[in-house]
Amino acid sequence: MEYSRHEHESAEDYAARLLGMLQERDARDALREQEVEPGAEEQTAEATTDPGQSAESGLLDAEAVLVAQSAEKQNPMVLELLKGLQKCAVYTDTPNHETNRKLWDAYAQSWSSNVDWVQRMSGHVSRQAEELQFLGDEWSDIESLDAVLSYWLYPHLQDGSLTVAEVGSGGGRIAAKVAPKVQRLVCFDVSEGMLARAKSRIVGELGQKHVDFQLISGDAAYPQKYNCSFDFVYSFDVFVHMDLHQMRQSLLCMHSILRPSGLCFVSFANLLAPDGWRRFAKQQHYSVGGFYFVSPDIVRCLLRRTGFSLVSISKSEQGNIYLNRDILVIARKA
Ligand SMILES: C[S@@+](CC[C@H](N)C(=O)[O-])C[C@H]1O[C@@H](n2cnc3c(N)ncnc32)[C@H](O)[C@@H]1O
């Protein structure tokens, strides 16, 4: 399928064509699933119909739609000029944190439970459109997320007395659950739009006034006032969107804000997990909406080199979107 924009196509036509193609593809996939012979899905990893299998295309689709929508807002002459420049000029890549900031700002700005691309994403994870309440509900089924948080996060929050940080808090999907369990929570994010969403939900709607929101640049140290001030730091579903250099930078920042011997919880996309490989093999190249894949060895190396010692590491588990795709770790500030 041809996802790229045609030479003389307007951005508006491009966004409409893209959505049409994605709808056709979904219809074809649904038909193909019905045609699968009984038992065939057990034969290979590629043939499984696990929730994670279809979740993988959701964010890539959303990314394509958001890119097309943002092109729509630009001056066509400037876009033409850029296209011309791209043919002759040598560019260095845009830093990962900048692409993340732009994509997630666009995501936060366009998100609504009744927007077409959000409902398509929720369909990929078997969630009914009516169930969508908050930004991020479309990323997973309820059971997968609850299982991960119950095992990997809540047990580390102890008796409610801890000072905790979330790196990449997004619209507050997890922070909203963590806030009532801690003394103080600070949400760090590179996207102002996401922080505004999280604040409106957590402080505005839930009245959790002990939660703060901190915009960070992604390429520099976090504000010094946070140094050594947190008992526990977590970053879930965020490192999957970072390249390796950004992962190292973010781990160094997490290390600096943790108190000595403090723990962190982080998730990474795993090339060696069944859904990790499947998703990787479907992508043409790395993009923020697509994932950046690592392996347990790389995770171990990154943690060691940024001053952490590994406490525990997850094993792949079918049926759970995250455990069948990611590596989850608990690590201690050495
Ligand atoms: C998929 S959302 C996950 C949000 C939240 N952790 C959750 O699971 O609901 C990814 C979030 O990470 C943020 N992010 C991306 N790169 C980041 C970085 N280098 N530092 C901090 N946040 C980042 C994005 O802006 C976005 O809000």
Side-chain angles (χ1 to χ4, degrees), residues 101-171:
R101 177 174 50 75
K102 287 182 201 153
L103 178 75
W104 294 112
D105 271 342
Y107 199 105
Q109 199 187 10
S110 309
W111 192 94
S112 157
S113 60
N114 49 29
V115 163
D116 188 56
W117 59 266
V118 174
Q119 297 205 345
R120 286 170 41 79
M121 283 182 82
S122 72
H124 284 308
V125 294
S126 330
R127 258 182 123 149
Q128 302 301 315
E130 318 77 75
E131 281 177 45
L132 290 180
Q133 255 191 303
F134 300 109
L135 189 156
D137 285 349
E138 66 281 11
W139 294 331
S140 82
D141 58 298
I142 297 170
E143 295 75 21
S144 291
L145 184 63
D146 279 353
V148 164
L149 300 182
S150 302
Y151 187 83
W152 291 89
L153 182 55
Y154 300 151
H156 298 286
L157 302 179
Q158 298 167 2
D159 56 359
S161 65
L162 297 191
T163 296
V164 173
E166 174 166 5
V167 171
S169 44

Side-chain angles (χ1 to χ4, degrees), residues 219-276:
D219 63 341
Y222 294 175
Q224 221 183 344
K225 63 177 177 184
Y226 295 116
N227 277 0
C228 294
S229 61
F230 294 99
D231 301 300
F232 187 80
V233 178
Y234 66 95
S235 187
F236 182 70
D237 221 11
V238 177
F239 278 55
V240 296
H241 301 294
M242 295 179 185
D243 64 29
L244 262 188
H245 290 274
Q246 182 64 53
M247 290 182 204
R248 172 174 177 266
Q249 167 69 19
S250 296
L251 282 172
L252 287 170
C253 289
M254 289 169 71
H255 188 273
S256 69
I257 63 173
L258 266 177
R259 66 161 169 76
S261 301
L263 291 178
C264 72
F265 163 49
V266 191
S267 71
F268 302 81
N270 185 2
L271 191 66
L272 304 189
D275 274 341

